[in-house]
Amino acid sequence: MPTFTLPTLPDLSPATPVLWRGRVWTGVEDAPLNDGAVLTRAGRIEAVGPATQLAALEDAVTVQTDGTILPGLIDLHVHARPGYLPWFVAAGVTTVRDACNSLETVTALLNPAGLAPRVLPSGPLLDGPDAFFRQFGPGAVHEPGDGQEYSAGALIVRTPAQAERAVAFLADQGVTHLKLYEALAPDVYAAATRAAARLDLPVMTDLGMLTTRGRAAQVDARQALALGVRSIEHASGFALAATRAGFDPAGELSAALLDELAALTVQAGTALVPTLSVFEPLATDTPPDQRDLPLAGQGGPVRESLDAQWQAVHAGTRPIRSLAQADGRLAAQLAVQVARLGGRVGAGTDTPAGAFTLPGGGLHAELERLVQAGLTPAQALRAATGTAADILGRADLGRVQPGAVADLLIVAGDPTTDVRATRDVRLVVQGGRPLSPAALRATLEA
């Protein structure tokens, strides 16, 4: 069978067996295999190993790369819209965990008209009667009642019994996880986690930060950890836990308290998804430099609407710059300590709810921020690959291993030594189908 390089790669069917040769990083180990190969066939990874061991496969097309082959990336915290979906794939993000959407939007995300990542939906989040989403009008929340459908972005639950019914309903709708929000009463929150556990439905939670309503929430991170949530988003609820412990979370927390909170997180088996990209733009008057992120220069109506939203969010948060700095500092410190203790840190962007978080491209910025906080490049990469897949409970994602889905990202350079290398996307392989940057840009422009 013939050998190609990336610039000369023809259109290949996902069914075509392909041997991808180059530096291979599996999403699990610290170091890459410098002269490695990955065999994909029928949308799955069939073999991985030294190129010399796999080169004799006579029925496979060989593609020689001069960069690094790594798993397709996973963004663990997004608020997707149908128009954003191609942007994720074009940036090498082949799986996203959606963190809150109406059931109508979920249906649209799961039935895309074109190029799209794998979407794992939560559907509407569960919140209490003092829901943040009430400010967006009556269509933003839904209070359960007999004969009514749950369709809005937030379901208001006032009692444990309502919480149990809401969890059962969402499970019946096929959501892959449950999201619990900041205004839930403790007994209602506990009832929701118990109902989710009975249905084997993982729980992600946003308990509020200093920049939102975290100090007014009723459930803090300690309580959520004790109830077995799968992941805590934005390092939320930890500021409230610090307050209840007698500390001012707007200042520097003691090393002993940080150690204790990180140890509790690891002992609970809960992942931390710090979303550092949410806080950094709010902590300064200067928007972040996005020029070298994938699709940073992409125009069109999607980008225009995002820019308008981001500018409004950024301008409206000038009074809370110092609180954003404190939130970002706490999230970064906890992420480093959780990773040091062997716990799970996941990469999520909150795109596009946070200011200047590009769909897809924003995950590359998040990886760099995790490294700047103190994670190694390999730890940061795992936060968007192998560790992210573990958080999702999906052994078939986020790793270059036999049996996994053939989602690959080929980049120039070695991101295990310089994490910014992920930004130079040479090819995306989705389910065994190669997608060149030129083809991806054409899809976006169309």
Side-chain angles (χ1 to χ4, degrees), residues 374-440:
L375 271 64
T376 67
Q379 286 175 325
L381 290 167
R382 281 196 292 269
T385 54
T387 299
D390 291 341
I391 294 169
L392 296 175
R394 292 290 301 266
D396 61 334
L397 301 178
R399 42 182 52 85
V400 181
Q401 292 180 339
V405 175
D407 286 353
L408 304 174
L409 172 61
I410 301 176
V411 302
D414 181 1
T416 67
T417 58
D418 178 6
V419 79
R420 290 174 61 89
T422 63
R423 303 178 183 207
D424 192 350
V425 175
R426 297 299 175 88
L427 190 75
V428 177
V429 180
Q430 185 181 35
R433 177 190 176 198
L435 304 165
S436 70
L440 292 167

Side-chain angles (χ1 to χ4, degrees), residues 29-434:
E29 291 88 2
D30 284 338
L33 179 62
N34 284 322
D35 186 16
V38 182
L39 175 64
T40 61
R41 189 193 306 264
R44 293 277 173 172
I45 296 172
E46 188 170 294
V48 181
T52 54
Q53 294 181 7
L54 300 181
L57 295 165
E58 295 182 355
D59 66 337
V61 172
T62 297
V63 179
Q64 182 67 52
T65 76
D66 60 359
T68 301
I69 304 164
L70 62 152
L73 302 179
I74 299 170
D75 191 334
L76 287 170
H77 194 120
V78 307
H79 298 276
R81 297 291 184 271
Y84 307 159
L85 295 179
W87 290 62
F88 290 107
V89 180
V93 180
T94 53
T95 300
V96 299
R97 181 176 65 159
D98 195 71
C100 170
N101 259 312
S102 70
L103 292 175
E104 288 87 351
T105 301
V106 167
T107 297
L109 295 173
L110 296 179
N111 297 277
L115 192 66
R118 180 179 300 99
V119 178
L120 306 178
S122 71
L125 58 79
L126 268 57
D127 205 0
D130 190 25
F132 166 78
F133 284 86
R134 283 194 182 278
Q135 66 180 282
F136 301 114
V141 298
H142 181 92
E143 298 219 24
D146 292 339
Q148 293 179 306
E149 293 185 358
Y150 296 85
S151 59
L155 308 183
I156 305 305
V157 288
R158 299 171 181 267
T159 68
Q162 283 185 340
E164 292 177 1
R165 289 196 297 271
V167 171
F169 173 82
L170 290 173
D172 286 342
Q173 305 309 302
V175 301
T176 60
H177 53 280
L178 178 71
K179 184 174 181 182
L180 303 182
Y181 213 54
E182 58 189 24
L184 287 167
D187 60 337
V188 178
Y189 191 102
T193 61
R194 289 194 296 267
R198 288 194 295 271
L199 296 169
D200 197 24
L201 197 62
V203 173
M204 65 187 300
T205 191
D206 178 351
L207 302 166
M209 299 82 71
L210 295 174
T211 45
T212 59
R213 304 191 304 172
R215 281 189 279 201
Q218 298 185 59
V219 176
D220 65 28
R222 289 179 189 270
Q223 294 167 304
L225 292 170
L227 290 167
V229 299
R230 175 72 61 88
S231 68
I232 294 183
E233 312 299 302
H234 319 302
S236 60
F238 286 98
L240 180 58
T243 300
R244 289 175 172 176
F247 294 87
D248 179 7
E252 289 282 354
L253 298 183
S254 71
L257 179 61
L258 287 168
D259 288 348
E260 178 190 358
L261 294 175
L264 287 173
T265 304
V266 176
Q267 291 163 10
T270 299
L272 183 72
V273 183
T275 64
L276 301 180
S277 295
V278 170
F279 306 115
E280 186 171 318
L282 303 184
T284 175
D285 288 327
T286 304
D289 186 352
Q290 298 181 309
R291 286 175 294 180
D292 66 345
L293 294 178
L295 304 182
Q298 184 71 36
V302 170
R303 182 57 188 265
E304 291 170 4
S305 67
L306 288 171
D307 282 339
Q309 174 187 324
W310 294 336
Q311 293 292 346
V313 169
H314 189 247
T317 54
R318 286 197 179 100
I320 59 170
R321 294 284 186 259
S322 63
L323 295 179
Q325 292 171 5
D327 276 335
R329 181 172 60 246
L330 176 58
Q333 290 172 333
L334 282 170
V336 171
Q337 190 68 342
V338 166
R340 187 186 71 79
L341 294 174
R344 294 181 298 181
V345 176
T349 60
D350 205 17
T351 185
F356 310 108
T357 52
L358 276 168
L363 188 60
H364 297 262
E366 181 71 10
L367 296 181
E368 182 180 16
R369 289 183 174 119
L370 288 170
V371 171
Q372 290 171 340
L375 271 64
T376 67
Q379 286 175 325
L381 290 167
R382 281 196 292 269
T385 54
T387 299
D390 291 341
I391 294 169
L392 296 175
R394 292 290 301 266
D396 61 334
L397 301 178
R399 42 182 52 85
V400 181
Q401 292 180 339
V405 175
D407 286 353
L408 304 174
L409 172 61
I410 301 176
V411 302
D414 181 1
T416 67
T417 58
D418 178 6
V419 79
R420 290 174 61 89
T422 63
R423 303 178 183 207
D424 192 350
V425 175
R426 297 299 175 88
L427 190 75
V428 177
V429 180
Q430 185 181 35
R433 177 190 176 198

Side-chain angles (χ1 to χ4, degrees), residues 3-24:
T3 297
F4 299 97
T5 58
L6 291 187
T8 64
L9 186 65
D11 289 336
L12 296 173
S13 163
T16 303
V18 180
L19 187 68
W20 306 90
R21 293 190 58 169
R23 184 187 300 110
V24 176

